[in-house]
Amino acid sequence: MKRILLLTFILGLFFNANAQFGMGGPAKPSVTGRVSVTVIDSLTKKPIDYATISLISIKTSKSVNGGVTDEKGKLTIQGIAPDAYKLMIGFMGYKTKSVLVTTTPSKPDANLGNVVISSTENNLADVQVVGTKAVIENKIDRMVYNAEADGTNAGGDATDVMRKVPMLSVDMNGNVQLRGGAVRVLINGKPSGTMASSVADALKMIPAEQIKTVEVITSPSAKYDAEGSGGIINIITKKSNAQGVSGSVNASVGTRQNNGSFNLTAKTGRLSVNTNLGTNLAYAQKSRVVILNQTTLNNGSLNSVSQDGFSKWSRQGYNGSFGLDYDFNAYNNLSTTVKMNSFSNGGPGESNYIINGLPATNVSDMDMSFRNLDWNVDYRKTSKKEGEEFSVSAQLSKGRTPTSFSNILTSATFPNGFQTVSNNTGKNNEYTFQTDYTYPISKATILEIGAKAILRDIKSQFDNAAQDFEYNQDVASLYGVISFDLTKKLKFKGGLRGEYTQIDFNTQNSGLQKNDYLNLFPSAIISQTLKGSTTLKLSYNRRLQRPGQSYLNPFRNESDQFNIMQGNPQLNPELSDNFELGYSTYIKGSIINASIFYRRTGGVIESSISPISENGVNKTYTSYINVGTAQTYGANVFASYNPKPKWTLMSNVGLNTYEVSNALTNVSTGTFLNYNIFARSAYGFGKGYNFELFGVVNSPRRTYQGKTASMVFYGASMKKEILKKKGSIGINTLNPFTRDLHIETVNNSVTATGTVFQSQNIYYPLRSFGVNFSYSFGKLKFTEKKKIKNDDTKQDQQQGGMGGVQQ
């Protein structure tokens, strides 16, 4: 009943506004026209890719839209209201050209055909055409990484893509951090139920060829859910609305994994249909795992367990979606999408043990599966007032995470073998309802308000426990955001979001418990435009992270019987305050983006190890706790430079401090410096040949109990365009000169029950070689729709199997 009242209250706030919204005359079309153009070199008669195009209103002399041409010299600008415009075409080494464009309600589309531009030089030999498309776009509130323009991504998965995104750092298990802080990962602006269980495994489901762009949002406004202390990552896939039929096919075969994806879009009249299918299959490869645990209890009991073995895990992932989009008329739109994911990760393992000087062997088997269904319905309505919009959205997400493991330990004590078997099924159901309203008070002032309700039911069913775990979390939120121009070059955007969280859960030991809280999240950003394309911005926002399913699940994972893992339903959310000063500029084709930031996070959630004794055997127990308060200082510099028209150099350097303190528990880690470096070189040889190199270096990663050693990745690819540039074929490699990536993690823990020293060495088979093929047909015309965005829970960045290794 409380949930019904909560939902009725939130949606009721907007019914009156919606009723007024439909009055006042006929609505102005939101589905307007498009302007298409193909840019051609005047001498060579060849298309020019990466030419910059801006559509400028004749009335206001302001740019209303724009973009860059593709490899065929083409660009289609969508959503253009009927009016008179001036199309400006610019490209380094060419004369800027202006073309007048006029569209009307009866003829909203304008196809300009071939537009010829001429070089500033008269000598034909001096004419050069850029052959490499921009990989990075720098926008006011986000950095956009164009994954489809990066040939080194072919054959990989979304985790491989994330390693090359500016400001992100990714370790071998797929843990993603944004400038040293946790992030919320969205797909097409929306969450996936699989993400709620494990970000690392969810990313491995997505073939790299399905990803169009990755948006990194460091200063989200109050319109976004407050989740993500570091910010938000939004992955945009290659599905779209397009007139006619269009699509693409991609396939990759390699020594480490195989990928495949298929995308299809069809539009006729008011109806648009799109679908995609993808698969990711990784071969079973041996990862060597060496672990040493030494525990000392306060009663003087000593225990030493060392193991040296391997896990031979394989991975199978499948995903698919089907979407419909229908325009009832020019003013009302309804869309719906169904997405399904299935993923399995695991396999056999074997280890040799030395338990307090006595030998033993263990044979294990592990399987972690993820199955998820997301279904959303979105309604959008516009009005006669330019920019005014009302929307209502609903989403259902149902996820299942069955996990099973078995161990057979053979030793002098158990000569015939001692077997342990356990199974657990986690269930995560989410029901989301959202409504948003945007009202342009004037051309320079925009008001946004909205409301949202998220109803979550998390269950964990145990095979060998007397009582299952059930966790109910309901979140109601309201927000308001206003943006306006202080001067012609000084802009402000600020807002306030309120979120009320209601929690009740039961555990076998403590019974029914409740935890309700109210939080306010202010945000503000001031942006100053300097000379040319230079921008300076200062921002502040407050963020929150609620613990997700795997952090809360009290299921005891005993896949390694000497290293027990268990979630903690008593966790409180993290709260952080973020300040950022950013600078960006565009100089003669070069991009520079630099920022400094400060973040204060209370209630930091980290894993914690401690010694326990069960049945006379000393073990290591790992769970999650609120460690204390972290203060983080950092800086990030991204730069892209073209020494020659066909040669692009790119680098990203991130620095941040790590320091956690807690006066109550007397925890103080001291201050450490973390860094991550990414470098890339891409060169177009002409005739469709492109060659790329990249490298990633991540510094040692600190926790309050220890650290993980640094990691280095490097790779290369060669790609050739074929089939009249509609297809490509290429080869790629990752770490070709080193088979294994050695990752060492050392932890030291002193608790009220004793001390633990733990050393873990993983030798992960990273080296790979692959061949990839892609083919596109039809003509893609991407459009974005307003979607639900659940971004309010802290997601587990990894799942631990034998030594936490995944392939």
Side-chain angles (χ1 to χ4, degrees):
M1 178 60 71
K2 289 190 293 183
R3 291 185 171 185
I4 296 176
L5 293 175
L6 176 69
L7 180 60
T8 302
F9 169 73
I10 289 177
L11 296 181
L13 290 175
F14 286 84
F15 284 164
N16 185 46
N18 187 32
Q20 298 177 6
F21 193 17
M23 301 175 63
K28 184 174 181 177
S30 62
V31 181
T32 53
R34 58 183 180 268
V35 175
S36 304
V37 64
T38 301
V39 181
I40 302 294
D41 182 273
S42 62
L43 294 177
T44 66
K45 305 303 180 183
K46 293 182 179 180
I48 299 178
D49 59 347
Y50 196 34
T52 302
I53 295 179
S54 180
L55 191 65
I56 299 173
S57 171
I58 298 295
K59 294 179 181 178
T60 64
S61 298
K62 293 182 178 180
S63 176
V64 297
N65 209 329
V68 295
T69 56
D70 61 16
E71 69 277 1
K72 298 180 181 179
K74 296 181 180 180
L75 176 67
T76 299
I77 305 174
Q78 301 278 3
I80 303 302
D83 208 340
Y85 301 96
K86 180 169 58 176
L87 190 78
M88 302 295 295
I89 304 174
F91 189 63
M92 184 171 60
Y94 288 77
K95 298 176 183 178
T96 300
K97 188 159 187 176
S98 173
V99 180
L100 294 178
V101 182
T102 301
T103 60
T104 63
S106 60
K107 190 177 180 181
D109 298 338
N111 188 350
L112 305 181
N114 294 340
V115 175
V116 177
I117 63 174
S118 59
S119 170
T120 55
E121 301 291 338
N122 294 323
N123 189 346
L124 176 62
D126 292 334
V127 177
Q128 291 179 308
V129 179
V130 171
T132 304
K133 189 177 180 180
V135 176
I136 299 295
E137 294 180 53
N138 182 28
K139 299 186 178 181
I140 292 177
D141 62 340
R142 67 195 65 192
M143 182 79 75
V144 180
Y145 170 71
N146 291 308
E148 64 178 350
D150 189 343
T152 59
N153 289 324
D157 55 42
T159 304
D160 300 311
V161 175
M162 290 293 184
R163 293 193 180 107
K164 292 178 278 183
V165 177
M167 295 182 284
L168 300 186
S169 60
V170 185
D171 69 13
M172 264 325 300
N173 285 321
N175 301 331
V176 182
Q177 285 194 331
L178 172 54
R179 302 193 303 194
V183 297
R184 178 62 172 175
V185 180
L186 306 176
I187 299 178
N188 296 320
K190 300 189 303 175
S192 170
T194 310
M195 288 284 184
S197 177
S198 170
V199 172
D201 289 316
L203 292 177
K204 287 183 174 67
M205 292 184 192
I206 307 173
E209 289 84 358
Q210 277 192 344
I211 300 176
K212 177 178 172 62
T213 61
V214 179
E215 299 177 341
V216 181
I217 308 171
T218 58
S219 301
S221 73
K223 186 173 183 177
Y224 289 91
D225 289 336
E227 164 64 13
S229 58
I232 294 172
I233 300 171
N234 186 24
I235 300 174
I236 306 297
T237 60
K238 292 181 180 178
K239 56 185 179 181
S240 64
N241 293 311
Q243 190 66 38
V245 178
S246 58
S248 63
V249 178
N250 301 274
S252 302
V253 179
T255 59
R256 185 167 63 105
Q257 62 183 7
N258 305 310
N259 289 337
S261 65
F262 171 75
N263 303 276
L264 179 66
T265 297
K267 185 174 182 179
T268 173
R270 299 176 180 177
L271 178 64
S272 175
V273 180
N274 60 69
T275 185
N276 69 55
L277 300 171
T279 183
N280 178 277
L281 307 174
Y283 297 111
Q285 299 187 63
K286 285 188 176 181
S287 296
R288 186 185 175 199
V289 181
V290 181
I291 300 177
L292 172 63
N293 286 319
Q294 294 177 330
T295 61
T296 304
L297 300 181
N298 291 337
N299 61 10
S301 175
L302 304 176
N303 191 65
S304 175
V305 179
S306 65
Q307 65 181 86
D308 188 341
F310 68 88
S311 62
K312 192 174 182 180
W313 285 12
S314 60
R315 184 176 71 248
Q316 297 180 353
Y318 306 91
N319 66 75
S321 70
F322 179 79
L324 297 173
D325 190 285
Y326 185 74
D327 298 318
F328 290 96
N329 49 44
Y331 327 117
N332 295 274
N333 173 269
L334 183 68
S335 62
T336 183
T337 302
V338 177
K339 292 193 303 182
M340 298 185 67
N341 296 283
S342 179
F343 177 79
S344 179
N345 191 25
E350 187 173 332
S351 291
N352 294 317
Y353 282 78
I354 302 296
I355 305 173
N356 293 325
L358 300 177
T361 60
N362 185 74
V363 177
S364 62
D365 197 10
M366 178 72 166
D367 181 74
M368 296 183 297
S369 298
F370 304 84
R371 296 189 296 271
N372 190 77
L373 169 69
D374 296 320
W375 177 34
N376 70 276
V377 179
D378 305 284
Y379 167 73
R380 185 169 58 116
K381 181 179 182 180
T382 56
S383 80
K384 64 177 182 178
K385 192 174 183 67
E386 180 71 23
E388 188 174 20
E389 183 178 291
F390 174 79
S391 65
V392 178
S393 302
Q395 178 173 293
L396 165 66
S397 182
K398 299 177 70 68
R400 299 293 182 266
T401 57
T403 301
S404 62
F405 65 83
S406 65
N407 290 286
I408 302 177
L409 180 67
T410 304
S411 65
T413 306
F414 305 104
N416 296 322
F418 178 76
Q419 185 175 18
T420 57
V421 178
S422 188
N423 297 279
N424 174 243
T425 299
K427 298 180 180 180
N428 183 50
N429 296 333
E430 293 187 9
Y431 308 89
T432 304
F433 306 90
Q434 176 177 336
T435 182
D436 300 278
Y437 177 55
T438 301
Y439 180 75
I441 299 173
S442 67
K443 290 184 178 180
T445 304
I446 298 175
L447 176 67
E448 299 173 275
I449 58 175
K452 188 174 186 177
I454 307 174
L455 313 178
R456 288 193 177 96
D457 294 319
I458 299 174
K459 295 181 180 180
S460 181
Q461 297 178 335
F462 307 147
D463 284 355
N464 52 1
Q467 182 178 350
D468 294 335
F469 172 67
E470 185 170 359
Y471 188 95
N472 298 315
Q473 180 190 91
D474 301 334
V475 181
S477 57
L478 298 169
Y479 75 86
V481 177
I482 189 167
S483 57
F484 53 87
D485 295 347
L486 296 171
T487 66
K488 289 185 178 180
K489 295 186 177 182
L490 187 63
K491 302 179 184 297
F492 172 82
K493 186 173 186 177
L496 180 66
R497 185 180 187 90
E499 294 188 353
Y500 178 74
T501 306
Q502 178 180 287
I503 295 174
D504 61 76
F505 62 93
N506 71 338
T507 62
Q508 186 173 355
N509 297 328
S510 304
L512 183 65
Q513 299 184 61
K514 293 181 177 293
N515 183 21
D516 301 346
Y517 48 87
L518 172 67
N519 299 105
L520 298 178
F521 302 97
S523 67
I525 182 170
I526 297 177
S527 176
Q528 172 73 53
T529 301
L530 305 177
K531 292 182 179 180
S533 302
T534 302
T535 303
L536 190 68
K537 71 175 182 179
L538 177 65
S539 66
Y540 163 77
N541 59 73
R542 175 171 290 177
R543 310 288 293 165
L544 167 144
Q545 281 198 289
R546 301 178 182 89
Q549 175 183 346
S550 54
Y551 281 79
L552 301 166
N553 189 354
F555 168 66
R556 281 171 58 99
N557 185 334
E558 298 185 13
S559 56
D560 182 344
Q561 63 267 48
F562 297 100
N563 294 281
I564 312 302
M565 301 179 66
Q566 187 174 29
N568 177 13
Q570 307 288 344
L571 288 172
N572 292 317
E574 298 178 352
L575 284 172
S576 64
D577 292 280
N578 304 274
F579 299 85
E580 178 186 2
L581 176 63
Y583 170 86
S584 62
T585 187
Y586 179 87
I587 306 173
K588 295 182 179 180
S590 299
I591 299 174
I592 299 176
N593 178 276
S595 63
I596 57 175
F597 64 91
Y598 167 75
R599 179 174 62 249
R600 185 183 187 278
T601 305
V604 174
I605 299 174
E606 287 191 9
S607 61
S608 175
I609 63 172
S610 58
I612 60 173
S613 179
E614 296 179 336
N615 301 320
V617 178
N618 290 357
K619 303 178 181 180
T620 299
Y621 176 79
T622 302
S623 188
Y624 298 96
I625 64 172
N626 294 104
V627 180
T629 300
Q631 297 194 74
T632 303
Y633 300 85
N636 190 89
V637 178
F638 169 82
S640 177
Y641 171 63
N642 291 82
K644 292 184 177 181
K646 295 184 180 182
W647 186 13
T648 300
L649 297 176
M650 185 184 302
S651 179
N652 181 75
V653 179
L655 304 171
N656 69 270
T657 61
Y658 173 84
E659 179 269 333
V660 173
S661 61
N662 190 324
L664 296 178
T665 60
N666 200 30
V667 170
S668 181
T669 63
T671 303
F672 302 95
L673 180 65
N674 297 327
Y675 61 86
N676 59 282
I677 303 171
F678 165 66
R680 174 181 182 268
S681 175
Y683 190 82
F685 291 97
K687 296 184 179 180
Y689 285 96
N690 291 278
F691 179 71
E692 302 186 55
L693 293 170
F694 82 93
V696 180
V697 178
N698 290 335
S699 71
R701 183 182 179 186
R702 300 281 178 171
T703 66
Y704 89 102
Q705 289 183 334
K707 74 172 184 177
T708 299
S710 61
M711 291 171 286
V712 178
F713 314 91
Y714 57 94
S717 75
M718 174 69 81
K719 184 171 68 174
K720 173 66 170 69
E721 294 176 341
I722 59 176
L723 302 175
K724 298 181 180 180
K725 295 187 177 181
K726 291 186 177 182
S728 68
I729 187 168
I731 57 174
N732 59 79
T733 182
L734 181 65
N735 279 33
F737 305 111
T738 309
R739 179 189 180 274
D740 295 332
L741 183 67
H742 177 203
I743 305 297
E744 181 182 22
T745 302
V746 176
N747 289 306
N748 288 278
S749 172
V750 180
T751 69
T753 57
T755 63
V756 175
F757 169 80
Q758 184 182 75
S759 172
Q760 177 177 273
N761 288 271
I762 299 174
Y763 300 86
Y764 179 79
L766 189 63
R767 180 170 60 193
S768 66
F769 301 89
V771 178
N772 55 81
F773 168 80
S774 65
Y775 177 74
S776 298
F777 55 91
K779 186 176 182 180
L780 294 175
K781 303 169 185 176
F782 292 93
T783 58
E784 297 297 328
K785 298 288 184 181
K786 182 178 289 294
K787 300 293 184 181
I788 271 184
K789 301 176 183 178
N790 281 1
D791 34 30
D792 64 304
T793 60
K794 184 180 181 82
Q795 304 154 320
D796 189 14
Q797 304 298 310
Q798 64 180 341
Q799 290 289 322
M802 184 174 180
V805 180
Q806 297 186 41
Q807 298 184 32

